Amino acid sequence: MVKLQGGSAMKIHQHFSVIGFCNTYIVGNRETKEALIIDPGHADYELIRLIEEFEYTIKAVFLTHRHSGHTEGLSLLSKLYHFDTYAYVMNDLAPNPKPITPNKKIHVASFDVLPLLIGGHSSDSIVFLIEDALFSGDTLHASHVGKTYTNRLKQELITNLTALLSHLNPETLIFPGHGPPSTVQSEFLFNLSLT
């Protein structure tokens, strides 16, 4: 669990699933008890326990892309909670679909969510910036960029990520779809693709 510094009411819970080795994130507001979920790869007892323990009301689910390892939990979550689903390209099973316009903020669960289209890993790959936290899906992992199908897509991904990260606070936290968190500063220091 991560609490951001300063006066932020945001609390981030990372849930790791051994199915697909994916990260799911619950982004909760400590004051309102509203929350959103990013990339529900697998909904299991531990994820539900986190939601219930902190008495969160799930207002929305955000999908960084449509790959099944990041969306399979939608089915169970939609049976337990009522929420809107935001994605650049919608998963067929997504309940209450809401389209995303890149670079246009979405206000939900007391947060301003900024979706940014990155591409590269998949045609619908999008990242979400919430305060000083970047949820990067499969576009960026700690010390390496995401997988792509061609060298041209790899270069597109590197170019887009470099442009994005260079405009962010170096202390911005990065929460990837797989592996441990990172920071913008760490990526520029240790990610050889970005140097």
Side-chain angles (χ1 to χ4, degrees):
M1 177 177 58
V2 176
K3 294 180 186 178
L4 295 189
Q5 299 298 320
S8 176
M10 184 164 68
K11 184 185 291 189
I12 300 169
H13 307 265
Q14 179 181 358
H15 171 263
F16 173 75
S17 171
V18 294
I19 299 176
F21 300 100
C22 296
N23 295 321
T24 295
Y25 298 98
I26 302 171
V27 182
N29 186 304
R30 294 187 308 242
E31 297 168 357
T32 67
K33 297 295 185 180
E34 294 179 330
L36 53 86
I37 295 175
I38 297 174
D39 284 353
H42 181 66
D44 58 13
Y45 170 80
E46 182 60 24
L47 182 65
I48 305 305
R49 184 194 65 75
L50 273 173
I51 295 168
E52 297 301 318
E53 178 183 333
F54 287 90
E55 300 178 345
Y56 286 136
T57 299
I58 303 302
K59 305 299 282 187
V61 168
F62 285 81
L63 305 177
T64 60
H65 60 302
R66 288 185 296 167
H67 291 170
S68 61
H70 300 269
T71 62
E72 286 181 356
L74 275 173
S75 178
L76 177 58
L77 288 173
S78 66
K79 293 175 184 176
L80 300 174
Y81 307 104
H82 179 77
F83 53 83
D84 294 327
T85 306
Y86 292 87
Y88 184 61
V89 176
M90 202 55 63
N91 181 294
D92 295 337
L93 302 176
N96 306 312
K98 301 286 184 185
I100 282 177
T101 302
N103 304 312
K104 183 177 179 182
K105 286 184 180 178
I106 302 163
H107 186 76
V108 63
S110 305
F111 300 114
D112 285 325
V113 181
L114 180 61
L116 301 163
L117 186 62
I118 295 294
H121 174 71
S122 64
S123 61
D124 65 329
S125 284
I126 201 156
V127 300
F128 300 105
L129 183 64
I130 308 173
E131 296 183 13
D132 282 333
L134 181 71
F135 297 88
S136 60
D138 282 356
T139 63
L140 178 65
H141 309 291
S143 79
H144 65 283
V145 298
K147 293 179 181 176
T148 60
Y149 293 106
T150 67
N151 287 334
R152 183 187 62 78
L153 289 173
K154 175 73 88 177
Q155 191 53 53
E156 174 189 323
L157 180 58
I158 290 169
T159 299
N160 291 344
L161 285 171
T162 302
L164 169 62
L165 297 181
S166 65
H167 287 92
L168 296 179
N169 182 328
E171 295 180 4
T172 298
L173 296 167
I174 298 171
F175 295 96
H178 304 273
S182 185
T183 66
V184 168
Q185 183 177 45
S186 293
E187 292 309 301
F188 278 128
L189 286 172
F190 302 112
N191 190 326
L192 297 181
S193 295
L194 302 178
T195 56

